[in-house]
Amino acid sequence: MSDRPPTLHDVARHAGVSTATVSRVLNGGPVRPGTARLVRDVVKRLGYVPNQVARGLVTGRSMVVGVLVPDLVGPLNAAIARGVEDVLEAHGMHAVIVTDHRDVVREAKRIETLVARRVDGLVLIGSELDDPTLTDVTATTPVVHVGAERAPSDERFPEVRIDNQAGIEKALARLAELGHRRIAHLAGPRRDGRERHDAIRQLAPRYELALAHVVDTDFSEEAGRDAGATLLRHRDFTAVLCANDRSAAGFYQAARDEGLNLPDDLTVVGFDDLPWSAYLDPPLTTLRQPGRDMGRLAAERLLHPEASDAWRGVRTLVPNLVARESMAPPPT
Amino acid sequence: MSDRPPTLHDVARHAGVSTATVSRVLNGGPVRPGTARLVRDVVKRLGYVPNQVARGLVTGRSMVVGVLVPDLVGPLNAAIARGVEDVLEAHGMHAVIVTDHRDVVREAKRIETLVARRVDGLVLIGSELDDPTLTDVTATTPVVHVGAERAPSDERFPEVRIDNQAGIEKALARLAELGHRRIAHLAGPRRDGRERHDAIRQLAPRYELALAHVVDTDFSEEAGRDAGATLLRHRDFTAVLCANDRSAAGFYQAARDEGLNLPDDLTVVGFDDLPWSAYLDPPLTTLRQPGRDMGRLAAERLLHPEASDAWRGVRTLVPNLVARESMAPPPT
DNA sequence: CTGTTAGCGCATTCAT
DNA sequence: ATGAATGCGCTAACAG
């Protein structure tokens, strides 16, 4: 039952050839068709599977790239990881996903073990490490960021990220078009939260929109509800931009508690477009993050640093405004 | 920049000792404090990180267990994975997560590459492989299932799974208690879907509940909405049990389209308790799956097959009924 | 306590 | 087209 798995050597012995020959039929070296068939038979019969550890040791490549994700809840990270897998698979490589649960120390540790395992590359989602630490810990392993927490300045670390400003502008433009004049914002934490907040502050005037109130959240439903309750003590705004869909869901609840009728009394806009956002009541208008595309881009960049359509530094993607029923003209 | 990472040998040379000594200070062998300090200094100065691939080749252990998950969307899988990580981390091991996107062929391939990488164990979530195939592909690697798609009969494959029947019974009991008499079911696919459906059919009479209608879904929000629309052509039931929370969210939309008022007109119960289920309108009553606990149990079983509290075959966990506002007495 | 030796399983020269 | 030999980086006896 628990006998040692068959090795290259076993196969060679059973087939009456040398290990070199077996290695060749496995990797496509020059070998006579007859012997090849014979060897393949033995391989199948023994259920031989090449030991990737040993192979990796000699080739220096592991054919796997590590994907570090803050956490697995949240379909956005899942989508990004999926995008990475798409292109890896097309190259015969594999993605292993590792979580760090948003903890800088743990993140560094995780990266270290990934590097120690000699992954061929690293996709870091929402990394919180600064460039020096990262340089230190990644050694010679190539890295690509997706939505890094601290803007990388080091040329070694290219980044794919969402263009929060462009997204916010789309939303603001539409709100203005509908006739809104005063808005509120459920702000979020971290870089995305700040960028969205800054964008609103900066761009609102351009659309003759006044930013009446801002309340902080931590991106969670609960925080959204609490912030909503706070916000709704005032009623001098007709639309609220939420930093993400989860907080928007929480805000919905606060609005219901206040007896508000969405969207007639108030317009709500989210950010992300999660799978269930269309099933809220009313269906949520939101800015869709193209997670899968972001993952694809990152992986391409990792695998082909010198591609024709190469880019350096940061590569930015613009979210789409998905208009649903939570958005309406302001009450008259 | 891209020079070869330092090896044990490099460290030994720089420190003027043998590789064996370096290996000892790294792994805690007997070594004079002075030399140890010296070596540690060199290690730090060179930024040496042990090559786990080489280490794994000689020790035969990789200190990582593979977690195969159908997909990453869906917080439940995330919770399970998290539970696995909990106990692995406590043992100085690591979890790598690999997805198969619900494809039997891909699943087998993924497992094969994991085994080829000599992971020390495998946690298979919602696996669709049958025992023979699995035996074939896992060779000597220990495996634990979480919610396998096909009930494993082989002693080699222990399983942790949710007790769907017990969960359904809790819901039925509560519905009966509230005075409901006729219910409907949004059925789901796969084993969980079937078990829940069977449980309802089998247990409903015991609570004097008539199962008026059953409509199939694929667990998605969209299917829930469509099934809801179909279901609501009849109005001879006062409560609907949804196979999962996502389809319940879809059902909500169908109910709104029909102008129904939840829960006054109709009681809705889900299954899973996803993070946003409490933020639906009305907050969804549902059966909570203890994902993290399931993951923990599975990992413990993997690491300590002979523990005192050992179990064989299947180990079952009972979901809790989380009562929220979507449940009420039937309209009078 | 420390150095030497011998593989772990495989890919890759270099011969033949 | 094939075999023998070498080494990837490390740990584990075995001596000293």
Side-chain angles (χ1 to χ4, degrees), chain B residues 262-318:
Chain B
L262 304 181
D264 301 328
D265 295 333
L266 195 59
T267 278
V268 180
V269 178
F271 208 117
D272 281 346
D273 194 28
L274 305 183
W276 44 265
S277 296
Y279 294 87
L280 291 173
D281 178 24
L284 181 65
T285 292
T286 187
L287 291 154
R288 172 178 298 167
Q289 294 218 47
R292 195 157 174 177
D293 292 335
M294 296 170 72
R296 285 208 183 100
L297 269 175
E300 295 286 10
R301 179 63 174 75
L302 194 60
L303 265 36
H304 315 297
E306 315 297 353
S308 57
D309 58 339
W311 44 276
R312 320 196 161 280
V314 57
R315 173 75 134 77
T316 213
L317 260 53
V318 176

Short mmCIF file of all heavy atoms in Angstrom, two decimals, chain B residues 262-318:
data_model
loop_
_atom_site.label_atom_id
_atom_site.label_comp_id
_atom_site.label_asym_id
_atom_site.label_seq_id
_atom_site.Cartn_x
_atom_site.Cartn_y
_atom_site.Cartn_z
N LEU B 262 -42.35 40.16 1.41
CA LEU B 262 -41.71 39.16 2.25
C LEU B 262 -41.43 39.75 3.63
O LEU B 262 -41.03 40.90 3.72
CB LEU B 262 -40.38 38.70 1.62
CG LEU B 262 -40.45 38.16 0.19
CD1 LEU B 262 -39.07 37.74 -0.29
CD2 LEU B 262 -41.43 37.01 0.09
N PRO B 263 -41.64 39.01 4.66
CA PRO B 263 -42.10 37.62 4.73
C PRO B 263 -43.61 37.50 4.95
O PRO B 263 -44.10 36.40 5.17
CB PRO B 263 -41.39 37.10 5.98
CG PRO B 263 -41.37 38.29 6.88
CD PRO B 263 -41.26 39.51 5.99
N ASP B 264 -44.33 38.62 4.89
CA ASP B 264 -45.76 38.56 5.22
C ASP B 264 -46.52 37.64 4.26
O ASP B 264 -47.36 36.85 4.68
CB ASP B 264 -46.36 39.96 5.21
CG ASP B 264 -45.65 40.86 6.21
OD1 ASP B 264 -45.21 40.33 7.26
OD2 ASP B 264 -45.51 42.07 5.95
N ASP B 265 -46.19 37.76 2.98
CA ASP B 265 -46.89 36.92 2.01
C ASP B 265 -46.29 35.53 1.90
O ASP B 265 -46.97 34.58 1.53
CB ASP B 265 -46.86 37.58 0.62
CG ASP B 265 -47.65 38.89 0.62
OD1 ASP B 265 -48.58 39.02 1.44
OD2 ASP B 265 -47.30 39.78 -0.18
N LEU B 266 -44.99 35.46 2.18
CA LEU B 266 -44.30 34.20 1.93
C LEU B 266 -43.03 34.13 2.77
O LEU B 266 -42.31 35.12 2.90
CB LEU B 266 -43.94 34.15 0.44
CG LEU B 266 -43.50 32.83 -0.18
CD1 LEU B 266 -44.59 31.78 -0.03
CD2 LEU B 266 -43.18 33.04 -1.66
N THR B 267 -42.78 32.94 3.31
CA THR B 267 -41.56 32.73 4.07
C THR B 267 -40.48 32.13 3.16
O THR B 267 -40.78 31.26 2.34
CB THR B 267 -41.83 31.78 5.25
OG1 THR B 267 -42.39 32.51 6.34
CG2 THR B 267 -40.54 31.12 5.73
N VAL B 268 -39.25 32.62 3.29
CA VAL B 268 -38.15 32.08 2.48
C VAL B 268 -37.03 31.61 3.40
O VAL B 268 -36.63 32.32 4.32
CB VAL B 268 -37.61 33.13 1.49
CG1 VAL B 268 -36.47 32.54 0.66
CG2 VAL B 268 -38.72 33.65 0.59
N VAL B 269 -36.53 30.42 3.12
CA VAL B 269 -35.40 29.88 3.88
C VAL B 269 -34.30 29.47 2.91
O VAL B 269 -34.58 28.88 1.87
CB VAL B 269 -35.83 28.65 4.71
CG1 VAL B 269 -34.63 28.07 5.46
CG2 VAL B 269 -36.94 29.03 5.68
N GLY B 270 -33.07 29.80 3.25
CA GLY B 270 -31.94 29.45 2.38
C GLY B 270 -31.09 28.35 3.00
O GLY B 270 -31.49 27.67 3.93
N PHE B 271 -29.88 28.23 2.46
CA PHE B 271 -28.94 27.23 2.96
C PHE B 271 -27.54 27.73 2.66
O PHE B 271 -27.25 28.02 1.49
CB PHE B 271 -29.18 25.88 2.29
CG PHE B 271 -28.77 24.68 3.13
CD1 PHE B 271 -29.72 23.75 3.54
CD2 PHE B 271 -27.45 24.50 3.52
CE1 PHE B 271 -29.36 22.65 4.32
CE2 PHE B 271 -27.08 23.40 4.29
CZ PHE B 271 -28.03 22.48 4.69
N ASP B 272 -26.71 27.87 3.69
CA ASP B 272 -25.30 28.27 3.58
C ASP B 272 -24.94 29.35 4.59
O ASP B 272 -23.97 29.25 5.30
CB ASP B 272 -24.91 28.81 2.20
CG ASP B 272 -24.68 27.70 1.19
OD1 ASP B 272 -24.56 26.54 1.62
OD2 ASP B 272 -24.62 28.00 -0.01
N ASP B 273 -25.75 30.41 4.58
CA ASP B 273 -25.45 31.63 5.33
C ASP B 273 -24.18 32.30 4.81
O ASP B 273 -23.13 32.31 5.48
CB ASP B 273 -25.32 31.39 6.83
CG ASP B 273 -25.34 32.71 7.60
OD1 ASP B 273 -25.95 33.67 7.10
OD2 ASP B 273 -24.72 32.80 8.67
N LEU B 274 -24.30 32.88 3.66
CA LEU B 274 -23.20 33.65 3.08
C LEU B 274 -23.11 35.01 3.77
O LEU B 274 -24.07 35.45 4.42
CB LEU B 274 -23.43 33.83 1.58
CG LEU B 274 -23.62 32.52 0.83
CD1 LEU B 274 -23.77 32.78 -0.67
CD2 LEU B 274 -22.47 31.58 1.09
N PRO B 275 -21.97 35.68 3.64
CA PRO B 275 -21.76 36.94 4.35
C PRO B 275 -22.85 37.98 4.06
O PRO B 275 -23.20 38.78 4.93
CB PRO B 275 -20.41 37.42 3.83
CG PRO B 275 -19.70 36.18 3.39
CD PRO B 275 -20.77 35.26 2.91
N TRP B 276 -23.37 37.98 2.88
CA TRP B 276 -24.34 39.03 2.53
C TRP B 276 -25.78 38.59 2.76
O TRP B 276 -26.71 39.37 2.55
CB TRP B 276 -24.15 39.47 1.08
CG TRP B 276 -23.97 38.34 0.11
CD1 TRP B 276 -22.78 37.83 -0.33
CD2 TRP B 276 -24.99 37.56 -0.50
NE1 TRP B 276 -23.00 36.78 -1.18
CE2 TRP B 276 -24.34 36.59 -1.32
CE3 TRP B 276 -26.38 37.58 -0.47
CZ2 TRP B 276 -25.04 35.66 -2.08
CZ3 TRP B 276 -27.08 36.65 -1.22
CH2 TRP B 276 -26.41 35.70 -2.01
N SER B 277 -25.98 37.36 3.22
CA SER B 277 -27.35 36.86 3.37
C SER B 277 -28.14 37.66 4.41
O SER B 277 -29.36 37.80 4.32
CB SER B 277 -27.33 35.39 3.76
OG SER B 277 -26.77 34.63 2.73
N ALA B 278 -27.42 38.19 5.38
CA ALA B 278 -28.08 38.98 6.41
C ALA B 278 -28.46 40.36 5.89
O ALA B 278 -29.18 41.11 6.54
CB ALA B 278 -27.18 39.12 7.63
N TYR B 279 -27.95 40.70 4.72
CA TYR B 279 -28.18 42.05 4.19
C TYR B 279 -29.15 42.07 3.02
O TYR B 279 -29.34 43.08 2.36
CB TYR B 279 -26.85 42.70 3.81
CG TYR B 279 -26.03 42.93 5.05
CD1 TYR B 279 -25.21 41.94 5.57
CD2 TYR B 279 -26.16 44.13 5.75
CE1 TYR B 279 -24.50 42.14 6.74
CE2 TYR B 279 -25.46 44.34 6.93
CZ TYR B 279 -24.63 43.33 7.41
OH TYR B 279 -23.95 43.54 8.58
N LEU B 280 -29.75 40.94 2.78
CA LEU B 280 -30.83 40.93 1.81
C LEU B 280 -32.05 41.59 2.45
O LEU B 280 -32.08 41.81 3.66
CB LEU B 280 -31.17 39.49 1.42
CG LEU B 280 -30.10 38.75 0.60
CD1 LEU B 280 -30.48 37.28 0.43
CD2 LEU B 280 -29.93 39.41 -0.76
N ASP B 281 -33.04 41.88 1.65
CA ASP B 281 -34.25 42.47 2.19
C ASP B 281 -35.42 41.57 1.91
O ASP B 281 -35.85 41.44 0.77
CB ASP B 281 -34.48 43.84 1.54
CG ASP B 281 -35.77 44.48 2.04
OD1 ASP B 281 -36.21 44.12 3.14
OD2 ASP B 281 -36.34 45.32 1.32
N PRO B 282 -35.99 40.92 2.90
CA PRO B 282 -35.59 40.92 4.31
C PRO B 282 -34.39 39.99 4.54
O PRO B 282 -34.16 39.10 3.73
CB PRO B 282 -36.83 40.36 5.00
CG PRO B 282 -37.40 39.42 4.00
CD PRO B 282 -37.18 40.09 2.67
N PRO B 283 -33.67 40.23 5.63
CA PRO B 283 -32.54 39.37 5.99
C PRO B 283 -32.97 37.90 5.94
O PRO B 283 -34.03 37.54 6.45
CB PRO B 283 -32.22 39.81 7.42
CG PRO B 283 -32.60 41.25 7.45
CD PRO B 283 -33.83 41.36 6.57
N LEU B 284 -32.13 37.10 5.31
CA LEU B 284 -32.51 35.73 5.01
C LEU B 284 -32.31 34.75 6.16
O LEU B 284 -31.24 34.67 6.74
CB LEU B 284 -31.69 35.26 3.79
CG LEU B 284 -31.93 33.84 3.28
CD1 LEU B 284 -33.36 33.70 2.75
CD2 LEU B 284 -30.92 33.49 2.20
N THR B 285 -33.36 34.01 6.44
CA THR B 285 -33.24 32.89 7.36
C THR B 285 -32.59 31.74 6.62
O THR B 285 -32.96 31.43 5.49
CB THR B 285 -34.63 32.45 7.84
OG1 THR B 285 -35.18 33.48 8.65
CG2 THR B 285 -34.54 31.17 8.66
N THR B 286 -31.61 31.12 7.25
CA THR B 286 -30.86 30.13 6.49
C THR B 286 -30.15 29.13 7.39
O THR B 286 -30.09 29.33 8.61
CB THR B 286 -29.83 30.85 5.58
OG1 THR B 286 -29.20 29.91 4.73
CG2 THR B 286 -28.77 31.54 6.42
N LEU B 287 -29.67 28.08 6.80
CA LEU B 287 -28.94 27.05 7.55
C LEU B 287 -27.45 27.28 7.35
O LEU B 287 -26.94 27.16 6.23
CB LEU B 287 -29.36 25.67 7.06
CG LEU B 287 -30.80 25.34 7.44
CD1 LEU B 287 -31.42 24.33 6.49
CD2 LEU B 287 -30.86 24.84 8.89
N ARG B 288 -26.78 27.59 8.43
CA ARG B 288 -25.37 27.94 8.31
C ARG B 288 -24.46 26.72 8.23
O ARG B 288 -24.48 25.85 9.08
CB ARG B 288 -24.94 28.79 9.51
CG ARG B 288 -23.42 29.02 9.53
CD ARG B 288 -23.02 29.89 10.68
NE ARG B 288 -23.65 31.20 10.54
CZ ARG B 288 -23.69 32.10 11.53
NH1 ARG B 288 -23.15 31.82 12.70
NH2 ARG B 288 -24.26 33.25 11.34
N GLN B 289 -23.64 26.72 7.21
CA GLN B 289 -22.64 25.66 7.08
C GLN B 289 -21.37 26.10 7.80
O GLN B 289 -20.81 27.14 7.48
CB GLN B 289 -22.30 25.42 5.62
CG GLN B 289 -23.42 24.88 4.78
CD GLN B 289 -22.91 23.86 3.77
OE1 GLN B 289 -22.14 22.98 4.12
NE2 GLN B 289 -23.34 23.99 2.54
N PRO B 290 -20.89 25.30 8.72
CA PRO B 290 -19.67 25.66 9.46
C PRO B 290 -18.43 25.32 8.64
O PRO B 290 -17.69 24.40 8.97
CB PRO B 290 -19.77 24.80 10.71
CG PRO B 290 -20.53 23.60 10.27
CD PRO B 290 -21.45 24.03 9.18
N GLY B 291 -18.21 26.09 7.58
CA GLY B 291 -17.13 25.79 6.64
C GLY B 291 -15.77 25.68 7.30
O GLY B 291 -15.02 24.73 7.06
N ARG B 292 -15.47 26.64 8.13
CA ARG B 292 -14.14 26.65 8.73
C ARG B 292 -13.91 25.41 9.59
O ARG B 292 -12.84 24.81 9.55
CB ARG B 292 -13.98 27.92 9.57
CG ARG B 292 -12.55 28.21 9.92
CD ARG B 292 -12.37 29.66 10.23
NE ARG B 292 -11.03 29.94 10.72
CZ ARG B 292 -10.62 31.16 11.01
NH1 ARG B 292 -11.42 32.19 10.85
NH2 ARG B 292 -9.39 31.36 11.43
N ASP B 293 -14.94 25.03 10.34
CA ASP B 293 -14.82 23.83 11.16
C ASP B 293 -14.62 22.60 10.29
O ASP B 293 -13.85 21.69 10.63
CB ASP B 293 -16.09 23.64 12.01
CG ASP B 293 -16.19 24.72 13.08
OD1 ASP B 293 -15.14 25.27 13.47
OD2 ASP B 293 -17.32 25.02 13.50
N MET B 294 -15.32 22.57 9.18
CA MET B 294 -15.18 21.42 8.29
C MET B 294 -13.73 21.32 7.80
O MET B 294 -13.14 20.24 7.77
CB MET B 294 -16.14 21.57 7.11
CG MET B 294 -17.60 21.55 7.53
SD MET B 294 -18.76 21.99 6.20
CE MET B 294 -18.67 20.54 5.18
N GLY B 295 -13.18 22.46 7.44
CA GLY B 295 -11.80 22.48 6.99
C GLY B 295 -10.85 22.02 8.08
O GLY B 295 -9.91 21.24 7.84
N ARG B 296 -11.10 22.48 9.29
CA ARG B 296 -10.24 22.10 10.40
C ARG B 296 -10.28 20.59 10.62
O ARG B 296 -9.25 19.93 10.74
CB ARG B 296 -10.72 22.79 11.68
CG ARG B 296 -10.36 24.26 11.74
CD ARG B 296 -10.23 24.69 13.20
NE ARG B 296 -9.96 26.10 13.33
CZ ARG B 296 -10.87 27.02 13.62
NH1 ARG B 296 -12.13 26.65 13.79
NH2 ARG B 296 -10.54 28.29 13.71
N LEU B 297 -11.49 20.07 10.69
CA LEU B 297 -11.64 18.63 10.89
C LEU B 297 -10.89 17.83 9.84
O LEU B 297 -10.18 16.87 10.14
CB LEU B 297 -13.13 18.27 10.83
CG LEU B 297 -13.88 18.29 12.15
CD1 LEU B 297 -15.35 18.04 11.92
CD2 LEU B 297 -13.29 17.23 13.07
N ALA B 298 -11.07 18.25 8.61
CA ALA B 298 -10.44 17.53 7.51
C ALA B 298 -8.93 17.53 7.67
O ALA B 298 -8.26 16.50 7.53
CB ALA B 298 -10.85 18.15 6.18
N ALA B 299 -8.38 18.69 7.98
CA ALA B 299 -6.93 18.81 8.10
C ALA B 299 -6.42 17.98 9.28
O ALA B 299 -5.38 17.32 9.18
CB ALA B 299 -6.53 20.27 8.24
N GLU B 300 -7.14 18.00 10.38
CA GLU B 300 -6.73 17.21 11.54
C GLU B 300 -6.68 15.74 11.17
O GLU B 300 -5.73 15.03 11.48
CB GLU B 300 -7.73 17.40 12.70
CG GLU B 300 -7.80 18.80 13.28
CD GLU B 300 -6.58 19.14 14.15
OE1 GLU B 300 -5.61 18.37 14.14
OE2 GLU B 300 -6.63 20.20 14.81
N ARG B 301 -7.71 15.33 10.49
CA ARG B 301 -7.79 13.93 10.09
C ARG B 301 -6.62 13.56 9.18
O ARG B 301 -6.07 12.46 9.24
CB ARG B 301 -9.11 13.69 9.37
CG ARG B 301 -9.34 12.29 8.88
CD ARG B 301 -9.39 11.32 10.05
NE ARG B 301 -9.75 9.98 9.63
CZ ARG B 301 -8.95 9.15 9.00
NH1 ARG B 301 -7.73 9.54 8.72
NH2 ARG B 301 -9.35 7.95 8.65
N LEU B 302 -6.25 14.52 8.34
CA LEU B 302 -5.16 14.28 7.40
C LEU B 302 -3.84 14.14 8.14
O LEU B 302 -3.04 13.25 7.86
CB LEU B 302 -5.09 15.45 6.42
CG LEU B 302 -4.26 15.28 5.16
CD1 LEU B 302 -4.79 14.12 4.35
CD2 LEU B 302 -4.29 16.56 4.35
N LEU B 303 -3.64 15.02 9.12
CA LEU B 303 -2.36 15.07 9.81
C LEU B 303 -2.23 13.99 10.89
O LEU B 303 -1.15 13.47 11.13
CB LEU B 303 -2.15 16.46 10.43
CG LEU B 303 -1.35 17.45 9.59
CD1 LEU B 303 -1.63 17.31 8.11
CD2 LEU B 303 -1.64 18.87 10.05
N HIS B 304 -3.34 13.70 11.54
CA HIS B 304 -3.30 12.70 12.62
C HIS B 304 -4.31 11.59 12.36
O HIS B 304 -5.33 11.52 13.02
CB HIS B 304 -3.63 13.35 13.96
CG HIS B 304 -2.93 14.63 14.19
ND1 HIS B 304 -1.55 14.74 14.27
CD2 HIS B 304 -3.39 15.89 14.33
CE1 HIS B 304 -1.22 16.00 14.47
NE2 HIS B 304 -2.31 16.72 14.51
N PRO B 305 -3.99 10.71 11.45
CA PRO B 305 -4.96 9.65 11.09
C PRO B 305 -5.25 8.75 12.29
O PRO B 305 -6.28 8.10 12.33
CB PRO B 305 -4.24 8.88 10.00
CG PRO B 305 -3.08 9.73 9.58
CD PRO B 305 -2.72 10.57 10.77
N GLU B 306 -4.35 8.74 13.26
CA GLU B 306 -4.51 7.81 14.38
C GLU B 306 -4.80 8.54 15.68
O GLU B 306 -4.52 8.04 16.76
CB GLU B 306 -3.24 6.96 14.55
CG GLU B 306 -2.66 6.41 13.25
CD GLU B 306 -3.64 5.46 12.56
OE1 GLU B 306 -4.68 5.15 13.16
OE2 GLU B 306 -3.34 5.06 11.43
N ALA B 307 -5.33 9.74 15.57
CA ALA B 307 -5.61 10.50 16.79
C ALA B 307 -6.61 9.76 17.68
O ALA B 307 -7.32 8.88 17.23
CB ALA B 307 -6.15 11.87 16.43
N SER B 308 -6.62 10.17 18.94
CA SER B 308 -7.49 9.50 19.89
C SER B 308 -8.96 9.64 19.49
O SER B 308 -9.73 8.70 19.58
CB SER B 308 -7.28 10.11 21.28
OG SER B 308 -7.51 11.50 21.22
N ASP B 309 -9.30 10.81 19.04
CA ASP B 309 -10.69 11.03 18.63
C ASP B 309 -10.87 10.71 17.15
O ASP B 309 -11.61 11.35 16.43
CB ASP B 309 -11.09 12.48 18.90
CG ASP B 309 -10.18 13.45 18.16
OD1 ASP B 309 -9.06 13.03 17.80
OD2 ASP B 309 -10.58 14.59 17.94
N ALA B 310 -10.12 9.73 16.71
CA ALA B 310 -10.13 9.38 15.29
C ALA B 310 -11.51 8.92 14.84
O ALA B 310 -12.32 8.47 15.62
CB ALA B 310 -9.11 8.29 15.02
N TRP B 311 -11.73 9.07 13.56
CA TRP B 311 -12.98 8.59 12.99
C TRP B 311 -12.65 8.01 11.61
O TRP B 311 -11.67 8.36 10.99
CB TRP B 311 -14.00 9.71 12.87
CG TRP B 311 -13.42 10.99 12.34
CD1 TRP B 311 -12.77 11.95 13.06
CD2 TRP B 311 -13.40 11.45 10.98
NE1 TRP B 311 -12.36 12.97 12.24
CE2 TRP B 311 -12.75 12.69 10.96
CE3 TRP B 311 -13.91 10.93 9.79
CZ2 TRP B 311 -12.56 13.42 9.80
CZ3 TRP B 311 -13.73 11.66 8.63
CH2 TRP B 311 -13.06 12.90 8.64
N ARG B 312 -13.48 7.13 11.18
CA ARG B 312 -13.29 6.56 9.84
C ARG B 312 -14.55 6.81 9.04
O ARG B 312 -15.58 7.16 9.59
CB ARG B 312 -13.05 5.05 9.93
CG ARG B 312 -12.16 4.69 11.07
CD ARG B 312 -11.57 3.31 11.02
NE ARG B 312 -10.43 3.31 11.91
CZ ARG B 312 -9.24 3.80 11.59
NH1 ARG B 312 -9.03 4.26 10.37
NH2 ARG B 312 -8.25 3.81 12.45
N GLY B 313 -14.42 6.63 7.75
CA GLY B 313 -15.59 6.85 6.91
C GLY B 313 -15.97 8.31 6.92
O GLY B 313 -15.13 9.18 6.82
N VAL B 314 -17.24 8.56 7.10
CA VAL B 314 -17.72 9.94 6.99
C VAL B 314 -17.96 10.57 8.36
O VAL B 314 -18.43 9.93 9.29
CB VAL B 314 -19.00 9.99 6.14
CG1 VAL B 314 -20.06 9.10 6.73
CG2 VAL B 314 -19.50 11.42 5.99
N ARG B 315 -17.58 11.83 8.45
CA ARG B 315 -17.81 12.58 9.68
C ARG B 315 -18.74 13.72 9.30
O ARG B 315 -18.46 14.49 8.38
CB ARG B 315 -16.49 13.13 10.20
CG ARG B 315 -16.63 14.05 11.37
CD ARG B 315 -16.95 13.26 12.65
NE ARG B 315 -16.12 13.70 13.75
CZ ARG B 315 -16.33 14.83 14.44
NH1 ARG B 315 -17.36 15.58 14.15
NH2 ARG B 315 -15.51 15.16 15.41
N THR B 316 -19.83 13.85 10.03
CA THR B 316 -20.89 14.74 9.60
C THR B 316 -21.09 15.91 10.56
O THR B 316 -20.97 15.74 11.77
CB THR B 316 -22.17 13.90 9.42
OG1 THR B 316 -22.94 14.42 8.38
CG2 THR B 316 -22.94 13.83 10.72
N LEU B 317 -21.35 17.09 10.01
CA LEU B 317 -21.57 18.28 10.83
C LEU B 317 -22.98 18.82 10.60
O LEU B 317 -23.44 18.90 9.47
CB LEU B 317 -20.55 19.37 10.46
CG LEU B 317 -19.36 19.50 11.39
CD1 LEU B 317 -18.68 18.16 11.57
CD2 LEU B 317 -18.37 20.50 10.83
N VAL B 318 -23.61 19.23 11.70
CA VAL B 318 -25.00 19.69 11.58
C VAL B 318 -25.05 21.20 11.45
O VAL B 318 -24.46 21.92 12.25
CB VAL B 318 -25.80 19.25 12.82
CG1 VAL B 318 -27.22 19.80 12.75
CG2 VAL B 318 -25.82 17.73 12.93
#
